[in-house]
């Protein structure tokens, strides 16, 4: 095992110092920022996420702000989902595609007002893309990265904790909806969201100088709920079938091939990048489906990722496996794969090769749990 060399090229979030003080042990790079992945005991972190509440430094989910008179048109043009009925204070999980309909990102899009939107990004250089598109299309907007950093509070007790801090009215907040608020003068956007299916919120800190203070306030209020540090949990998110863009999918995937078909609206009146290509995909049929695999192996922890594993059937490649974990709840080895539609529809058993040789794998629909 090697460690990562820090540099000003790789930004840390406002919560990084607090995370280090809390025992941060492992990180990855996401959006050219440090993203924590572990505090040294992944099973304890998993149990805390499932049973209590965890605090996550997810500042690497960077925002791109689109602000100005054409913000709504610009956000729609960048997004393969119908935004026409979106309300202020609402977020939506959306696909952003290139002109060939390939998915570039799967952000949470937040409508702060009629002329101000945030794309809360997965891992890719979307600020460059959004700036170039807005300028080339002549939209009357400013596209920039605001001083905004999400702090995750995830787990079944997250709602009680957030209600203690902000009031019981937050219990009425619907999924992906948000409020602009503050905590002892710290400016925030509070959103019911987060990259787990255990429930929770993200506190979008609007002034990075308060990072440690905000972390400490949440931890102090969370003590009675057994709060502890954590990070986006790889096992839980595979069990829940939450997409990790760029890892689970090959670079040429369209939104239908990463399980985002139900969030992709190809027949809206408004134009958006990739619309014609995605209409062709719908007309001709989707090539691959995003599915779960239950793999007959106990080698998940030694699996040789990176490098997607080829999924084989009768000696022919029929897909790729991008993530594989041991599921504590299912007591099985499970993975996320993109597999040819005919093979999924036929319900065939497939084969993947790991450190212990070839294993057979059963295809199942997502989520696992
Ligand atoms: N929060 C914020 N930004 C983010 C993420 C986040 N940016 C990066 C990454 N996560 C974006 N990707 C996802 C992927 C899945 C979900 C959210 C963000 C998610 N999906 C649910 C599902 O697929 O079942 C619900 C989708 C729905 O019903 O609309 O939650 O976590 N700020």
């Amino acid at each position: 095992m090697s460690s990562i060399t820090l540099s000003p090229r790789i930004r840390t979030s406002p919560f990084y110092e607090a995370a280090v003080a809390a025992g941060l042990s492992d990180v990855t790079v996401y959006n050219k920022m440090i993203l924590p992945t572990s505090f040294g005991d992944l099973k304890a972190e998993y149990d805390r996420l499932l049973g209590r509440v965890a605090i996550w430094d997810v500042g690497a989910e960077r925002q791109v702000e689109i602000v100005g008179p054409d913000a709504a048109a610009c956000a729609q043009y960048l997004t393969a989902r119908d935004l026409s009925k979106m309300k202020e204070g609402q977020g939506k999980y959306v696909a952003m595609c290139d002109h060939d309909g390939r998915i570039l990102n799967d952000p949470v899009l937040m409508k702060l007002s009629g002329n101000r939107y945030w794309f809360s990004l997965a891992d890719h250089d979307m600020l460059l893309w959004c700036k170039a598109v807005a300028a080339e299309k002549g939209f009357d907007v400013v596209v920039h990265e605001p001083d905004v950093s999400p702090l995750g509070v995830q787990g079944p007790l997250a709602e009680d904790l957030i209600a203690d801090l902000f009031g019981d009215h937050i219990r009425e907040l619907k999924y992906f909806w948000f409020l602009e608020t503050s905590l002892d003068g710290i400016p925030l956007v509070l959103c019911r969201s987060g990259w787990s299916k255990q429930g929770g919120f993200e506190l979008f800190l609007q002034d990075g100088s308060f990072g440690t203070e905000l972390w400490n306030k949440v931890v102090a209020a969370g003590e009675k709920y057994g709060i502890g540090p954590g990070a986006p949990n790889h096992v839980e998110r595979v069990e829940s079938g939450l997409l990790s863009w760029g890892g689970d999918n090959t670079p040429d995937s369209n939104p239908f091939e990463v399980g985002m078909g139900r969030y992709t609206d190809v027949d809206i009146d408004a134009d958006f990048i990739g619309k014609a290509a995605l209409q062709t995909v719908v007309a001709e049929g989707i090539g691959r489906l995003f599915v779960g695999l239950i793999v007959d192996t106990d080698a998940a922890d030694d699996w040789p990722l990176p490098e997607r594993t080829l999924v084989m059937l009768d000696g022919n490649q029929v897909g790729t496996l991008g993530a594989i974990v041991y599921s504590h709840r299912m007591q099985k080895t499970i993975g996320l794969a993109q597999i040819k539609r005919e093979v999924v529809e036929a319900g065939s058993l497939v084969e993947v090769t790991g450190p212990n040789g070839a294993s057979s794998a059963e295809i199942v629909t997502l989520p696992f749990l």
Side-chain angles (χ1 to χ4, degrees):
M1 213 4 232
S2 45
S3 63
I4 198 159
T5 304
L6 290 175
S7 137
R9 281 187 300 102
I10 302 172
R11 203 167 85 193
T12 55
S13 92
F15 312 113
Y16 180 71
E17 279 174 30
V20 169
L24 178 63
S25 65
D26 293 83
V27 303
T28 188
V29 174
Y30 195 86
N31 280 326
K32 301 192 173 78
M33 288 180 67
I34 295 294
L35 173 65
T37 53
S38 177
F39 288 76
D41 186 344
L42 282 170
K43 181 60 168 55
E45 291 163 40
Y46 175 89
D47 290 341
R48 192 180 289 137
L49 171 62
L50 272 105
R52 310 196 75 82
V53 56
I55 183 169
W56 297 358
D57 167 11
V58 285
E61 294 165 348
R62 293 190 186 205
Q63 323 316 303
V64 166
E65 181 170 273
I66 316 269
V67 59
D70 292 339
C74 182
Q76 178 63 80
Y77 189 64
L78 288 160
T79 302
R81 183 170 182 179
D82 182 8
L83 305 182
S84 62
K85 297 183 190 69
M86 197 171 181
K87 303 275 197 299
E88 281 186 32
Q90 187 178 12
K92 276 180 187 274
Y93 183 42
V94 305
M96 302 172 88
C97 294
D98 72 10
H99 298 82
D100 298 315
R102 297 174 179 145
I103 182 166
L104 296 176
N105 212 273
D106 65 328
V108 178
L109 173 62
M110 298 161 70
K111 179 173 179 177
L112 290 124
S113 71
N115 65 5
R116 187 165 161 241
Y117 290 76
W118 289 347
F119 286 100
S120 189
L121 295 170
D123 185 21
H124 212 180
D125 293 314
M126 299 310 287
L127 180 60
L128 298 177
W129 174 258
C130 295
K131 277 193 180 197
V133 166
E136 291 293 321
K137 284 291 284 185
F139 286 124
D140 185 3
V141 291
V142 173
V143 179
H144 73 123
E145 180 172 16
D147 178 2
V148 172
S149 306
L151 179 67
V153 183
Q154 294 288 305
L157 303 183
E159 183 174 304
D160 291 337
L161 162 54
I162 295 297
D164 286 355
L165 285 172
F166 294 93
D168 272 329
H169 62 283
I170 65 88
R171 296 184 190 276
E172 312 304 322
L173 207 54
K174 288 180 281 181
Y175 202 69
F176 286 143
W177 287 69
F178 58 88
L179 301 164
E180 287 209 61
T181 181
S182 63
L183 184 65
D184 302 334
I186 304 176
L188 298 173
V189 168
L190 173 66
C191 185
R192 190 189 287 274
S193 56
W195 206 54
S196 87
K197 285 223 164 149
Q198 305 313 309
F201 294 80
E202 289 174 309
L203 283 59
F204 290 73
L205 173 61
Q206 300 202 74
D207 178 342
S209 67
F210 290 105
T212 300
E213 199 178 326
L214 179 61
W215 175 290
N216 289 340
K217 282 182 190 292
V218 173
V219 169
E223 236 139 55
K224 72 183 215 211
Y225 299 110
I227 199 170
N233 190 280
H234 191 48
V235 173
E236 192 276 345
R237 77 96 186 169
V238 172
E239 292 172 337
S240 298
L242 296 180
L243 178 69
S244 178
W245 182 90
D248 297 342
N249 60 290
T250 58
D252 59 348
S253 305
N254 63 55
F256 298 97
E257 294 174 318
V258 297
M260 290 189 72
R262 64 186 183 284
Y263 312 119
T264 305
D265 301 313
V266 299
D267 289 324
I268 60 176
D269 291 336
D271 195 18
F272 62 84
I273 300 174
K275 185 177 178 184
L278 293 173
Q279 286 174 338
T280 303
V281 170
V282 170
E284 293 182 352
I286 301 158
R288 293 170 294 169
L289 299 179
F290 188 53
V291 293
L293 288 185
I294 299 177
V295 185
D296 186 15
T297 178
D298 57 8
D301 292 338
D302 305 316
W303 206 266
L305 299 170
E307 294 297 319
R308 289 180 196 93
T309 302
L310 303 186
V311 178
M312 307 295 290
L313 175 64
D314 299 334
N316 300 310
Q317 188 194 342
V318 294
T320 50
L321 171 76
I324 181 165
V325 299
Y326 179 74
S327 164
H328 307 297
R329 281 181 285 174
M330 295 169 67
Q331 303 200 340
K332 286 179 178 155
T333 297
I334 60 171
L336 298 174
Q338 291 183 293
I339 297 185
K340 284 186 178 163
R341 182 166 50 115
E342 317 82 83
V343 173
V344 174
E345 285 170 356
S348 313
L349 275 183
V350 292
E351 194 178 272
V352 290
T353 297
N356 296 348
S359 302
S360 76
E362 178 194 346
I363 300 170
V364 298
T365 53
L366 293 172
F368 289 98
L369 294 171

